[in-house]
Each structure stands twice: as structure tokens, then as C-alpha cells.
Amino acid sequence: MKTLAKLLYVEADEEITDLVDRLRDLSLEDEVTFVVPERARALQSAMSFRLLKRYADSYGKRVNLVSGDPRLQAMSLEAGFTAYPNLASYDRGTEVHSPELVDAPVLSAPAAPAAAVTAPQSSQASAPQRGVATLERPREASVMSAPPKRQAPGPRKLVPSGPPLGSYRPYLIGAAVLLVVGLLVGILYLPTATATVFVQGTPLTADVTLLGAPGVAAGSPDHFATQAIHAEESQNLPGTPTGQKQIDAAKATGQVTFRASCSGFICSVPIRSGTDVSTGSGKHYVTTKSVTVQSTLVSQGSVDAPVAAVQAGLAGNTEVDTIRYINNNNPDDLLSVNNGQAITGGADARTATVIQQSDVDG
């Protein structure tokens, strides 16, 4: 009678928890066989075998182990598993009872399927090895390896949507032909016109002042050098002047000096235009400009002011130091006046004989 058992190939980098998960996933299997490589990480200690045995018992499964490593065989037997040295022995049902006496060659896990397939049918009749108990029972095993690891999906190629560009080529060619034809028709048949643009100009004017003087240096745009020319011309004409011209009387003019006495520490005395001053003989003069006298307690200030005679004529002239009286604009008598120069320029009205045009014409 043949027995169907699951063959589970253990990867070198699997953990004990991975083997427990694989046991749990095989809920319909009563017997499971692990094919273990020599350096399997999951089964490197007796604790791992005992843990796997505990879960196998809790799941109600009978667990076998196929390994050519005597150390793994010994720990498997100690944990209560059935151990086989290779897949050929597993197929014949030859169990390991004493790992140190096993002389059978060790087959690695990846080569196990090939060994199982190429094993001759007469191997069942071969003599058992020394120190190994045999149990002749043909088997049929379904092989299950560890699930393959997922690979990261590669970048997806972008597929352009819509029809390819080549399908629009006839339309593009037709549009280009129509454009060229339209340009030719426009050049040949569209009317043309000549436009004349008149622009009204605005005259620009500028006032330039030119300065001429002797010795002006050249290079200035508005300066130019000049040369002074002196000329005299005289002409004697025979004849007697007969014209008469009335000349008005002229007022005598000059200047007087005002002085101020200050009653305080400093004072400023204004003298308004029109202040009347006079001589002892009764000649009167008025100031023609307003002035101010600045004075202090220790020094007497003075200021000059222009004057003109009240009456025009020769009588308005007066000698030096004759004007001594101030007749107005001197309420506190702080001011005094005197003329340091003669007042002159006064003249009476007269009639002058002048040349007129009739005298020249003869």
C-alpha cells in the first residue's frame, strides 16, 4: 500500500516560524516531510526541533526529515521525528536509527528531485546498509518547495493614447498646400494701394545771447572776441544859434551826519525819510532815505543820510558845518546833526540859447 506525503524543501534563509506557518497551511495533510539542506538556518539547534515537534503534535501531523547532516539527523531523532539520510532512502523507507553509523552519500536539497526521478527500480531490492534498519514501503510523494519570493514590478511603459501621429500626415500635407495656395492668390489678385503720409513740421526756435568782449577766449559757443575802435569826428558849421530853451531851477543836494546819545546800555534810533534839518540862517533840507543810528552807553553812534534843499535855486547851497538843527522826528532830543560837506548843486531857473534845425539849414 502506497502512502502520499508532502515534500517541503526548506530554504537556507528560512526561520523556524516559516516552517511552522507552512505546517499550519497544510491542514489536509497528515504527514509532512521536510528536505533540509546542511546549513538551514531554521534547524540549527535542538530547541528549534523541539519547537517544531510541539507545533506538529498540536496540528496532528507526522513529520519526517531528510538530511545528509548527521548532526541534524541526531537532533531530529531526539525530538521524535523520523529521519532519512537522502531522498533515495526516504523513497525506500530506510530510516536512520544511529546517525553516526550512516555511510550513505549525502544529497543536497536542490538535487533531490533528480535523484528521486533517476533512481533505478531495482534499488528497492538492494541490500540494506550496515547499522541501518530497513522498512520496505514504497512511497509516492508530492514535492512542495518554499514559495518563491516576490520580485518588485518593473516600471510600466506608457502607451500613448489616441491614434498615431502618422495617421494625421495627409491632413497636415493638405493644410500646408492650402496655405501656400492662399498666399499666392493673395499676392496676385488682392488690390494694392499707395499711401502718402504728410507730417506737419513744427519750427524750433531758440533765443541765443551772444557776448562779445575784448580778449574773450575762443571755444565758448556764446562768446566771441571784439576789438574796440575809437573814432572822433567834428564839424564846424557857420551860423548863429537862435533857439531858446527854459531850464528849471535845481535843488541843492548833499548829505548830513546824525549822531545819537543812548540813555541805556544799547539803543537803536530810527531816522525816517523826510526828517527836516536846517541852518541857523533858515535854509531847510529834508532826508531822502530812512536810516538808523546804533549807539551804546559808552560810545556815540553816527550815520550819514542824504538830504535835498526844500527850495530849489542857488540859495539852497550852504557851506560846511552849517546844518545844526533837527526840526522833527526827534522827540527825546537824542539826535544831533551836522554837515561835514557843503551842500551844492542848487541853481536858479534860466533861459538858454540853443541851436535849432533852422540855424543849421541857413
Side-chain angles (χ1 to χ4, degrees):
M1 179 178 181
K2 294 183 179 181
T3 303
L4 182 63
K6 282 287 184 181
L7 283 179
L8 300 180
Y9 283 87
V10 179
E11 300 292 339
D13 57 349
E14 282 189 288
E15 302 289 345
I16 185 63
T17 55
D18 298 328
L19 302 186
V20 173
D21 292 339
R22 295 172 70 179
L23 277 178
R24 184 174 58 250
D25 294 339
L26 298 175
S27 59
L28 300 180
E29 301 295 333
D30 295 332
E31 183 177 357
V32 177
T33 300
F34 287 105
V35 180
V36 184
E38 293 183 1
R39 297 183 179 180
R41 183 187 303 175
L43 299 172
Q44 290 297 320
S45 64
M47 179 63 70
S48 300
F49 279 94
R50 288 196 294 270
L51 183 62
L52 184 61
K53 176 63 175 174
R54 181 181 303 174
Y55 279 98
D57 293 343
S58 64
Y59 296 149
K61 299 184 185 299
R62 183 172 180 269
V63 176
N64 306 319
L65 183 136
V66 177
S67 175
D69 189 352
R71 187 176 63 86
L72 296 181
Q73 296 172 7
M75 288 189 292
S76 175
L77 294 175
E78 182 181 356
F81 295 142
T82 302
Y84 298 93
N86 49 53
L87 288 175
S89 300
Y90 172 75
D91 187 63
R92 294 192 305 268
T94 305
E95 302 178 7
V96 175
H97 297 284
S98 179
E100 64 276 8
L101 299 178
V102 175
D103 298 328
V106 179
L107 297 179
S108 60
V117 174
T118 59
Q121 298 294 330
S122 61
S123 61
Q124 297 181 4
S126 61
Q129 298 178 0
R130 181 171 55 86
V132 179
T134 62
L135 178 61
E136 299 295 337
R137 51 172 183 173
R139 294 175 175 269
E140 289 184 1
S142 61
V143 180
M144 180 179 293
S145 62
K149 297 182 179 180
R150 293 184 178 180
Q151 296 182 355
R156 298 179 60 185
K157 295 183 179 180
L158 297 178
V159 179
S161 60
L165 184 61
S167 61
Y168 294 104
R169 182 175 299 174
Y171 301 102
L172 297 177
I173 295 175
V177 171
L178 291 177
L179 179 61
V180 173
V181 172
L183 290 176
L184 293 177
V185 171
I187 294 173
L188 296 176
Y189 297 102
L190 288 180
T192 58
T194 301
T196 303
V197 179
F198 296 94
V199 179
Q200 183 178 2
T202 301
L204 300 178
T205 59
D207 295 333
V208 179
T209 302
L210 300 178
L211 302 177
V216 175
S220 300
D222 56 348
H223 289 68
F224 60 94
T226 60
Q227 182 179 1
I229 298 176
H230 300 278
E232 294 181 0
E233 183 180 356
S234 62
Q235 184 178 7
N236 295 323
L237 297 175
T240 302
T242 59
Q244 299 292 320
K245 182 179 181 180
Q246 187 68 32
I247 299 176
D248 296 335
K251 292 182 179 181
T253 58
Q255 69 178 17
V256 296
T257 301
F258 289 93
R259 291 179 175 82
S261 299
C262 187
S263 59
F265 183 75
I266 186 172
C267 60
S268 177
V269 181
I271 301 172
R272 295 193 299 270
S273 176
T275 300
D276 183 81
V277 294
S278 62
T279 65
S281 60
K283 297 180 180 181
H284 289 266
Y285 305 88
V286 293
T287 57
T288 59
K289 180 181 178 181
S290 298
V291 293
T292 301
V293 182
Q294 301 289 343
S295 184
T296 63
L297 183 62
V298 296
S299 64
Q300 191 179 43
S302 62
V303 65
D304 294 334
V307 295
V310 175
Q311 296 294 329
L314 185 61
N317 297 333
T318 186
E319 299 297 330
V320 177
D321 197 21
T322 56
I323 301 176
R324 295 181 176 272
Y325 302 100
I326 301 175
N327 302 313
N328 61 352
N329 298 330
N330 189 19
D332 297 328
D333 293 331
L334 298 177
L335 297 174
S336 61
V337 67
N338 190 12
N339 61 317
Q341 298 177 358
I343 306 300
T344 59
D348 295 332
R350 61 188 178 88
T351 301
T353 301
V354 296
I355 299 175
Q356 56 186 0
Q357 187 64 37
S358 60
D359 298 334
V360 176
D361 296 338

